[in-house]
Amino acid sequence: MKKRWTEDEDDYLKYFVFSGDSTIKDAAELLEKTPAAVSARLTELRKIDQSVQYLHRRWTEKEDNYLKANYLKYDAKILAKNLGRTVESVKSRKAQLKLSLVRPVTKHKEIIVALANKGYYRKEIARFLNIDEKSLATFLRLNKIHCDYVPTSERTKDLKKGINNDSKNRKWKNK
C-alpha cells in the first residue's frame, strides 16, 4: 500500500529543489521513498504550485573542464549525453562560461573581403585559408560579399595555379 505524501514532505521537497544541494536519490533516501516517487511528486507539486522550481543540478569543476575542453569538438547534443545533462543545460552553461563557437571562416573576414575584391575565386580563397569551400560560400552569402566561382573554361580537376603564383597571369576585374 502506498504511503500518502504529508505536508511536511511536500515542504521538504520544495526546499530541496530550491536549495539544489543534493540529488533526487538523497531526497528519496531521507523521505524513505523511491527516486521515481520523488520525481513524480515534484511533477505533481509543479502542477499545483508554479513556484516549485525544476531541479537544477549544480555544475562541477570537472564538468566545466570537460565542457571547456570539448565544446569545439562536439555539438551540444553529444556534450549533453556525455555529461548526463539536457541540451539546454549545456547551451546555457556554455553561454555562462563565455564559450562561443567562432567559425574558422569568420576569423578571416578581412582577408576574404580583400581577396574577393582582388578577383580571386572562391576555390582559391578556400584553399589559401584552408577552409571548407561550402562554409566559405555560406559566409559570403550571409555577409553579402561578391566572389566569383571558377569559370567553367578554367576548371580542371585541381586548379593548376594556386593563389600565390597566378596573380601575374590573371586579368583582374577589380584592379
Side-chain angles (χ1 to χ4, degrees), residues 62-89:
K62 185 177 177 181
E63 289 173 318
D64 282 346
N65 291 338
Y66 176 83
L67 195 57
K68 289 174 186 175
N70 294 292
Y71 80 101
L72 291 172
K73 297 178 196 170
Y74 305 112
D75 65 6
K77 187 175 181 181
I78 293 170
L79 291 169
K81 182 180 177 191
N82 292 345
L83 290 167
R85 293 194 172 261
T86 65
V87 173
E88 287 306 313
S89 172

Side-chain angles (χ1 to χ4, degrees), residues 59 63-65 67-68 92-100:
W59 283 80
E63 289 173 318
D64 282 346
N65 291 338
L67 195 57
K68 289 174 186 175
S92 174
R93 189 61 178 175
K94 281 172 54 178
Q96 288 172 352
L97 296 173
K98 295 182 170 73
L99 303 176
S100 64

Side-chain angles (χ1 to χ4, degrees), residues 111-122:
I111 298 169
I112 292 169
V113 170
L115 293 173
N117 287 337
K118 287 183 179 180
Y120 286 100
Y121 298 124
R122 292 175 180 206

Side-chain angles (χ1 to χ4, degrees), residues 12-162:
Y12 170 77
L13 279 182
K14 289 175 186 177
Y15 174 77
F16 158 76
V17 172
F18 175 77
S19 67
D21 291 339
S22 25
T23 65
I24 286 184
K25 187 177 178 182
D26 296 335
E29 287 176 13
L30 183 86
L31 295 170
E32 298 178 353
K33 308 253 185 200
T34 66
V38 170
S39 185
R41 186 59 183 174
L42 281 170
T43 301
E44 289 301 313
L45 289 173
R46 279 188 213 102
K47 290 177 183 175
I48 299 166
D49 182 1
Q50 291 181 347
S51 69
V52 177
Q53 301 174 1
Y54 284 88
L55 182 61
H56 298 285
R57 185 168 46 99
R58 294 177 193 263
W59 283 80
T60 65
E61 188 176 338
K62 185 177 177 181
E63 289 173 318
D64 282 346
N65 291 338
Y66 176 83
L67 195 57
K68 289 174 186 175
N70 294 292
Y71 80 101
L72 291 172
K73 297 178 196 170
Y74 305 112
D75 65 6
K77 187 175 181 181
I78 293 170
L79 291 169
K81 182 180 177 191
N82 292 345
L83 290 167
R85 293 194 172 261
T86 65
V87 173
E88 287 306 313
S89 172
V90 168
K91 287 179 180 178
S92 174
R93 189 61 178 175
K94 281 172 54 178
Q96 288 172 352
L97 296 173
K98 295 182 170 73
L99 303 176
S100 64
L101 183 61
V102 176
R103 305 265 179 220
V105 178
T106 307
K107 292 189 282 188
H108 301 296
K109 183 175 183 172
E110 291 177 7
I111 298 169
I112 292 169
V113 170
L115 293 173
N117 287 337
K118 287 183 179 180
Y120 286 100
Y121 298 124
R122 292 175 180 206
K123 189 170 195 133
E124 295 170 316
I125 295 171
R127 182 178 289 160
F128 178 70
L129 296 174
N130 196 26
I131 55 177
D132 179 60
E133 196 174 345
K134 287 183 180 180
S135 297
L136 175 63
T138 302
F139 175 81
L140 293 168
R141 181 177 45 80
L142 293 174
N143 289 281
K144 298 179 181 166
I145 301 169
H146 177 74
C147 184
D148 288 329
Y149 295 100
V150 176
T152 309
S153 61
E154 293 184 32
R155 289 184 192 167
T156 60
K157 197 167 196 174
D158 290 308
L159 287 175
K160 292 178 182 175
K161 299 174 184 175

